Amino acid sequence: MTVGETSLTVRIRRLPHAVEELPARMTEGSSGFDLPAAIPEAMTLAPGASVVVPTGLTLEIPEGYEGQVRPRSGLALRHGITVLNGPGTIDADYRGEVAVILINHGPEPHIIERGARVAQLVIQRLTAIRFEEVQQLSATHRGSDGFGSTGTGRGQPAA
């Protein structure tokens, strides 16, 4: 999709500690907008540790949409850094600062610098949902088989 074909306005407010740049897509085809670390000085994220990283931004997401805070694949691949509650949800009625909960699954400490792109923001349209309570659900081949039951045959472990 080319920018301008369909657009949605998301109002954004920069807090006093925010970095200069607003969230941005790195390529025209990117779906996510990189979120910056709005920290006063560099911080070290130790292996196994988690931290809340402020972005210095507040959003006004239109009703009927949500913001999703997702990991950046490069941080995950190269350093084992990911969003702990990924994707994190930003509800349309939330007006507080957007923050990112990062965890270091890697073997080395990771330095987070001010302005570093720590996560990405994706805005998604929501579908109105209506739950209908019933006594029984329709049958499927999988049925109630749980984790690991798809692709390996009715709940059997892969060889």
Side-chain angles (χ1 to χ4, degrees), residues 6-124:
T6 304
S7 66
L8 174 72
T9 299
V10 175
R11 297 178 69 193
I12 190 167
R13 183 170 71 101
R14 195 185 334 247
L15 298 174
H17 61 281
V19 299
E20 189 174 313
E21 299 82 21
L22 290 176
R25 297 182 315 151
M26 292 296 104
T27 67
E28 185 159 320
S30 296
S31 59
F33 292 78
D34 287 342
L35 293 171
I39 52 179
E41 58 189 40
M43 63 170 48
T44 300
L45 182 55
S50 61
V51 66
V52 176
V53 180
T55 66
L57 304 169
T58 62
L59 301 174
E60 186 175 320
I61 298 171
E63 191 67 34
Y65 292 83
E66 69 157 331
Q68 296 179 1
V69 177
R70 299 181 182 181
R72 293 192 60 238
S73 58
L75 281 177
L77 176 64
R78 290 189 282 282
H79 305 288
I81 308 298
T82 191
V83 175
L84 186 58
N85 64 327
T89 297
I90 305 168
D91 295 309
D93 60 351
Y94 177 67
R95 295 295 183 269
E97 180 176 7
V98 174
V100 179
I101 305 170
L102 291 179
I103 188 166
N104 184 350
H105 288 301
E108 302 293 328
H110 181 73
I111 306 296
I112 302 169
E113 302 277 350
R114 178 171 172 79
R117 298 176 296 147
V118 294
Q120 56 183 326
L121 170 69
V122 174
I123 304 294
Q124 290 286 313

